[in-house]
Amino acid sequence: MLDTLQRATFDYFLKECSPENGLVADRNQPGSAASIAATGLALTIYVAAVKHGVLSRVAAAAKVLTILRFLHCSRQGPEPDSTGYKGFYYHFLDMKTGRRAQNCELSTIDTAVLMAGILSASAWFTHDTAREREIRQLADALYARVDFQWAQDGAATITHGWKPECGFLPYRWDTGYSEALILYVLAAAAPHYPVAPGGYRQWAASFEIRKVYDLEYVYAGPLFIHQLSQIWLDLRGVQDDLNRRLGFDYFENSRRATYIHRQYGIENPRRFQHYGEYVWGLTASDGPGPANVKVDGEPREFHGYLARGAPSGPDDGTVSPWAVVASIPFAPEIVIDTVRHAIERLELQGQSEYGFDASFNPTFPSKGRNRHGWTSRWIFGLNQGPVVLMIENFQSGFVWQIMRSSPHIAQGLRLLSFGGGWLERADV
């Protein structure tokens, strides 16, 4: 079941990309812009594709080089139609030209995901051939020119991003547990513009510790927050100062968050249809709204794309089967049966050529193509990547093994006071 799902999901990154520059579409909607985060995921996925025989090593190297060459040569500058600036890249890029799209921001977190993918390719393509040497050289150059210090804008923590029209965004990665762990690890180890560990410590001091359903954990509502950094970071037994005080690492934290999401589905406090032991998993996802309608005489508000979360919401009855799959390394004993239910009972695989439908809402009155409930029309690259790579980590630990060989990852973790686990055995 998992092999079939993973293979179908691979195809998104083989088909929804530009042959000229390698950029990967944000979604399979016609005219979609490229997403630099989805492109970062693709770089790791092409490596995994070689392991599975989906791509030859030569073909995968060619795909990776197309992306790296474009990124290296693309326009970096303060002009509003550049591809990036100060080593960072805009959240969305035009699929054909590779220039900034949708008046979006220069994104620090999306650039971090891109760099994680770049480093994974560099760590795996180690043969002494012209192509693989070039991959390593370009990867080193791209990572080295990211000016993480500039992105601090004079403070200890890192800003969310920058726009040429108005400068730095008024938000920082400084409040609440989030997906920014990979950003701070890469920023700490940056070869030319590193960020001092004080920014990470300031951010970590803001984390909220909750006890929900008798489970204590570092709180974040959406599942993707508990997953994204750990696509690349093997945190099993690896602990920072906060983990040592709490007595559990972030891998265990993600396991607890997964169980909390399932229990939220079972208790179903907002009385949504189909929620239960095998229907759960709230995250950032597409939705059927915006709409306000009555369902069985009760007013309901439905949202469009939104970061949904449990147990504190927001929640409009939209669950995301892909987000359940991405938790499989943490809690396979509950994830696998939930995935099977989504495929066999809810029929959420097979409507798309790329595996799971992105999101599902059985409460929304308009059912659409699935007789059990509303489903998103589009498939999103940022959803697809974690499906492929977390199945891989569950089955073989392949991505984690690759990243453990990257000196930047080990160095970044150590600089942020992480220790234990594989870091104790790493000869770095």
Side-chain angles (χ1 to χ4, degrees):
M1 179 183 68
L2 293 176
D3 290 345
T4 300
L5 176 61
Q6 187 186 42
R7 181 61 188 85
T9 311
F10 264 126
D11 283 345
Y12 183 93
F13 297 91
L14 301 178
K15 297 179 181 179
E16 300 295 334
C17 59
S18 166
E20 289 81 19
N21 54 40
L23 294 173
V24 175
D26 174 58
R27 63 187 73 185
N28 65 337
Q29 182 177 4
S32 170
S35 158
I36 61 163
T39 302
L41 288 159
L43 289 165
T44 308
I45 283 166
Y46 295 148
V47 170
V50 178
K51 177 177 179 289
H52 285 270
V54 176
L55 289 174
S56 70
R57 190 180 185 102
V58 171
K63 283 185 168 294
V64 169
L65 272 177
T66 297
I67 296 171
L68 299 189
R69 286 169 178 165
F70 165 75
L71 293 172
H72 189 255
C73 297
S74 60
R75 186 176 179 179
Q76 284 267 323
E79 300 82 6
D81 63 342
S82 295
T83 297
Y85 184 42
K86 297 287 186 178
F88 291 93
Y89 292 88
Y90 285 101
H91 192 153
F92 299 113
L93 300 174
D94 184 275
M95 283 288 289
K96 293 181 179 179
T97 67
R99 300 290 183 92
R100 179 194 187 200
Q102 302 177 12
N103 198 37
C104 66
E105 82 287 3
L106 201 75
S107 173
T108 55
I109 186 62
D110 290 270
T111 297
V113 171
L114 176 64
M115 291 299 148
I118 287 171
L119 292 179
S120 72
S122 175
W124 191 77
F125 284 106
T126 58
H127 289 184
D128 189 19
T129 65
R131 284 191 177 198
E132 297 196 19
R133 286 195 301 270
E134 185 181 0
I135 287 173
R136 297 193 295 273
Q137 291 163 358
L138 288 173
D140 288 345
L142 288 165
Y143 179 41
R145 79 178 181 188
V146 182
D147 193 342
F148 292 101
Q149 294 175 5
W150 170 80
Q152 292 176 275
D153 189 29
T157 55
I158 300 173
T159 62
H160 280 203
W162 178 89
K163 281 189 170 187
E165 295 84 6
C166 58
F168 286 102
L169 303 181
Y171 314 106
R172 289 182 171 273
W173 298 106
D174 64 354
T175 305
Y177 184 54
S178 72
E179 67 273 26
L181 178 56
I182 187 67
L183 170 62
Y184 277 101
V185 169
L186 294 177
H192 291 170
Y193 309 103
V195 168
Y200 176 76
R201 288 194 293 267
Q202 180 178 325
W203 175 50
S206 75
F207 294 176
E208 179 185 1
I209 313 303
R210 288 193 188 183
K211 193 168 188 179
V212 180
Y213 306 132
D214 291 326
L215 291 171
E216 184 180 48
Y217 76 133
V218 183
Y219 171 75
L223 272 178
F224 84 91
I225 288 176
H226 298 280
Q227 301 160 346
L228 187 63
S229 291
Q230 292 186 69
I231 291 173
W232 296 279
L233 300 178
D234 180 2
L235 299 181
R236 295 172 295 176
V238 176
Q239 298 186 347
D240 67 357
D241 292 338
L242 176 61
N243 297 147
R244 285 185 278 271
R245 289 199 301 272
L246 293 173
F248 55 87
D249 56 45
Y250 290 117
F251 183 91
E252 169 64 18
N253 196 72
S254 294
R255 187 191 72 83
R256 296 182 186 190
T258 304
Y259 268 87
I260 286 167
H261 270 253
R262 184 185 70 154
Q263 189 61 34
Y264 176 81
I266 291 169
E267 299 205 359
N268 193 13
R270 294 174 172 85
R271 303 184 309 282
F272 289 116
Q273 293 180 24
H274 277 288
Y275 274 31
E277 183 180 3
Y278 303 115
V279 180
W280 50 272
L282 277 61
T283 195
S285 64
D286 196 13
N292 289 277
V293 296
K294 281 191 174 183
V295 180
D296 296 329
E298 181 178 355
R300 294 283 195 183
E301 182 179 8
F302 297 95
H303 304 282
Y305 198 94
L306 183 70
R308 296 165 173 84
S312 299
D315 180 15
D316 63 353
T318 303
V319 297
S320 299
W322 72 266
V324 175
V325 181
S327 283
I328 195 168
F330 310 122
E333 66 278 7
I334 63 173
V335 166
I336 291 174
D337 287 342
T338 303
V339 172
R340 183 175 290 112
H341 182 87
I343 293 172
E344 296 178 358
R345 299 292 298 276
L346 300 180
E347 303 169 26
L348 291 174
Q349 184 183 2
Q351 302 289 331
S352 159
E353 62 178 318
Y354 300 133
F356 270 144
D357 291 317
S359 46
F360 169 66
N361 191 314
T363 303
F364 190 69
S366 177
K367 303 303 181 187
R369 63 184 182 180
N370 186 306
R371 62 193 177 97
H372 301 291
W374 174 91
T375 55
S376 174
R377 293 179 62 193
W378 312 117
I379 304 298
F380 296 77
L382 200 54
N383 302 351
Q384 298 293 90
V387 170
V388 173
L389 297 177
M390 286 306 224
I391 289 176
E392 196 59 42
N393 278 331
F394 165 65
Q395 292 184 326
S396 69
F398 180 64
V399 181
W400 291 333
Q401 292 169 18
I402 292 169
M403 299 307 284
R404 290 199 299 265
S405 70
S406 170
H408 304 296
I409 296 299
Q411 182 186 7
L413 287 168
R414 288 181 174 135
L415 286 168
L416 300 183
S417 82
F418 283 89
W422 67 270
L423 281 174
E424 299 301 311
R425 305 184 298 272
D427 185 20
V428 179

